[in-house]
Amino acid sequence: MTASRCAALHPVLVLGLGTGDQSISPDTACLLENIEVLAAPRRMLEHFPDKRCIALTAPLEKALEALEQARAEGKRCAVLADGDPLLFGIGATLAARPAFSAPESLRIIPGISAMQTGCARLRLPWHNLSVLSLHGRKDWLPLAHAVLTGKPLCIYTDCRNNAAAIAAFLLERGMDRFQMIVASCLNTNDERISSHTLSEAAATAFRGDESVFLLPLSEKEQTGTLRFGLDESRLALDRGLYTKAPVRAAALSLLSPSPENTLWDIGAGCGCLSLEAATLLHRGRVVALERDPSRADLIRENRRRLGLPHLDVVSGSAPEALEDLPDPDLVFVGGGLGGKDVRRAERLLERIVLRLKPGGRMVVAAALLSTLHVATEFARKQGLRHSVTQIQAAETVPLAGSLTFRPLNPVFLIGIFPDDPLLSRRLS
């Protein structure tokens, strides 16, 4: 299509109708008078029997292609949307399509969103509000990141990801630091706004089309904030069998995490390394993999105590349980390489290296010389850059009215840095 032809096409009018019963205002009706093709959710189209209509139903691709074709034919087109089309709406979807890349191809007129209406009812300023949508989403990591900021939050829901599910998610992960306000049917005769504790909300039935507002409790009621350095007295531990603080600190230093990284902790035990890492990866994700169900439950309990919603706990054995996990930037192997099955240990290391993102790093903790041998031999055979650090530390204990040192078990940390672009070819 020539530049002059593109310039002659009419822009697509994207109209936000606001909240409420979707009655068409006089101003909107005036804008729609000359429209020939109208795209909208099916419930809105019944009001326009004289228009050529395109129903916006999932999946959207065919409907959007029909809209683009109608515009290419020179038709005057409009799209109707709930609320503000650029707040988790159709406006952002249209603007991202190549057919509407030119600024003059779309004219977006926003309506009042459910978020704005809810804020008005609550007299809540929204310039410092975080807004996200769980409508049709499976990944709740954005919710975990948002609640860590401690800011007020507005969430759009659906029948599956509703207010009760949100409350249960936060309670399970120790984020009971919010009051929940649920707003439904705004600007209708059935409008309802209700306030709940998270425990109350988790036990309540909700329709699933509400807007949920999470308001932080007063600072005195906050249970804690993220900071490096675990208070081990707050944790549920298994007979003292956990990664000690000096080893955790050294391992994380070797891993060199950035806040947005994804980290796997394989053979996580009670989860101490995962918990420590989660305080550093406040915009990322930590996955603790543990095959012992009782220890996996300890990790969940520790996550609840510390309030780390972006820490996921997976019960299972590596490498089988790795398949459905998001690719990692960093991997800590605290268990799973012991025993006599050397080939299985090598397969695990191979699988990890192939799944690491470019520039990824892995650290293996070895309390046994056999584990040290397996990890270093694997790295040597594959030609991978690696290092070995021995951690030997001691802690004070009372003795004869004074203090003495009690040594901790020595641990080897094997850092493996598979940054060779030909690596996947050699391992395949």
Side-chain angles (χ1 to χ4, degrees):
M1 187 179 296
T2 65
S4 58
R5 172 63 176 151
C6 287
L9 298 178
H10 302 291
V12 172
L13 189 63
V14 185
L15 290 169
L17 298 184
T19 57
D21 294 318
Q22 305 300 343
S23 57
I24 305 299
S25 70
D27 288 344
T28 300
C30 183
L31 288 170
L32 292 174
E33 281 183 0
N34 296 322
I35 293 300
E36 301 168 276
V37 178
L38 187 64
R42 203 178 296 277
R43 70 182 185 279
M44 297 180 186
L45 293 177
E46 61 187 29
H47 300 292
F48 303 95
D50 58 333
K51 306 289 186 185
R52 174 179 160 189
C53 293
I54 299 172
L56 295 178
T57 57
L60 283 174
E61 186 60 30
K62 286 187 177 180
L64 297 182
E65 288 176 354
L67 176 66
E68 292 169 359
Q69 180 60 36
R71 179 175 183 258
E73 294 169 0
K75 304 295 184 182
R76 296 180 182 271
C77 304
V79 177
L80 298 183
D82 296 312
D84 185 338
L86 289 175
L87 185 63
F88 299 106
I90 191 69
T93 301
L94 292 172
R97 294 179 70 85
F100 300 111
S101 59
E104 65 275 9
S105 61
L106 292 176
R107 182 185 173 201
I108 300 176
I109 301 178
I112 302 299
S113 67
M115 177 274 291
Q116 291 171 284
T117 305
C119 285
R121 298 289 189 273
L122 300 173
R123 296 187 293 182
L124 176 67
W126 51 274
H127 54 265
N128 196 38
L129 184 76
S130 295
V131 187
L132 63 91
S133 176
L134 293 181
H135 189 91
R137 311 290 173 94
K138 293 182 179 179
D139 186 2
W140 284 32
L141 188 62
L143 174 60
H145 290 161
V147 296
L148 282 173
T149 68
K151 293 182 179 180
L153 178 63
C154 175
I155 309 164
Y156 290 156
T157 67
D158 62 23
C159 59
R160 180 183 179 90
N161 302 329
N162 58 23
I166 292 168
F169 174 87
L170 296 177
L171 288 172
E172 179 188 48
R173 297 179 181 231
M175 295 302 294
D176 51 344
R177 311 173 188 179
F178 297 90
Q179 175 192 13
M180 179 178 282
I181 309 292
V182 181
S184 61
C185 302
L186 293 170
N187 279 335
T188 73
N189 292 332
D190 296 322
E191 177 174 307
R192 175 177 169 78
I193 297 177
S194 55
S195 177
H196 311 264
T197 66
L198 292 186
S199 295
E200 291 167 348
T204 302
F206 294 97
R207 296 192 329 176
D209 56 357
E210 299 90 356
S211 298
V212 170
F213 293 83
L214 294 176
L215 306 183
L217 300 174
S218 66
E219 191 170 324
K220 291 182 179 179
E221 295 176 278
Q222 296 278 349
T223 58
T225 55
L226 293 186
R227 61 183 178 188
F228 184 70
L230 287 181
D231 178 359
E232 294 171 359
S233 67
R234 295 181 59 191
L235 304 181
L237 301 174
D238 183 6
R239 301 185 307 276
L241 299 177
Y242 59 93
T243 305
K244 304 302 190 293
V247 177
R248 295 197 303 268
L252 288 169
S253 177
L254 283 170
L255 288 169
S256 188
S258 294
E260 68 281 355
N261 284 162
T262 293
L263 180 142
W264 291 353
D265 181 6
I266 299 176
C270 305
C272 287
L273 189 286
S274 295
L275 300 164
E276 195 86 79
T279 66
L280 301 173
L281 305 181
H282 53 88
R283 296 198 302 271
R285 183 197 300 264
V286 177
V287 181
L289 176 64
E290 175 52 49
R291 66 183 179 185
D292 185 325
S294 63
R295 288 186 176 178
D297 286 341
L298 289 178
I299 303 173
R300 295 186 181 95
E301 172 60 18
N302 289 329
R303 176 183 64 185
R304 186 195 66 79
R305 293 184 184 186
L306 298 183
L308 297 169
H310 56 312
L311 168 57
D312 295 324
V313 183
V314 177
S315 295
S317 298
E320 295 80 9
L322 303 179
E323 295 304 316
D324 296 329
L325 302 185
D327 288 344
D329 303 281
L330 312 169
V331 178
F332 178 74
V333 183
L337 292 186
K340 298 180 180 180
D341 192 345
V342 174
R343 183 56 193 144
R344 179 180 176 84
E346 290 176 342
R347 285 198 303 269
L348 170 58
L349 293 173
E350 288 175 1
R351 177 50 49 190
I352 292 171
V353 167
L354 289 173
R355 292 288 302 277
L356 274 172
K357 295 179 183 178
R361 304 163 76 89
M362 171 169 51
V363 170
V364 178
L368 303 175
L369 291 177
S370 57
T371 304
L372 171 65
H373 178 74
V374 168
T376 53
E377 278 298 289
F378 168 80
R380 185 187 64 79
K381 289 177 182 178
Q382 299 299 337
L384 302 177
R385 186 167 61 90
H386 62 286
S387 67
V388 180
T389 304
Q390 185 191 40
I391 306 298
Q392 177 67 70
E395 58 187 4
T396 56
V397 294
L399 180 66
S402 184
L403 297 173
T404 189
F405 284 101
R406 179 176 62 192
L408 302 175
N409 288 334
V411 175
F412 297 95
L413 295 178
I414 305 95
I416 300 177
F417 315 108
D419 48 10
D420 183 347
L422 299 179
L423 175 67
S424 59
R425 198 175 305 167
R426 293 204 305 272
L427 290 178
S428 60

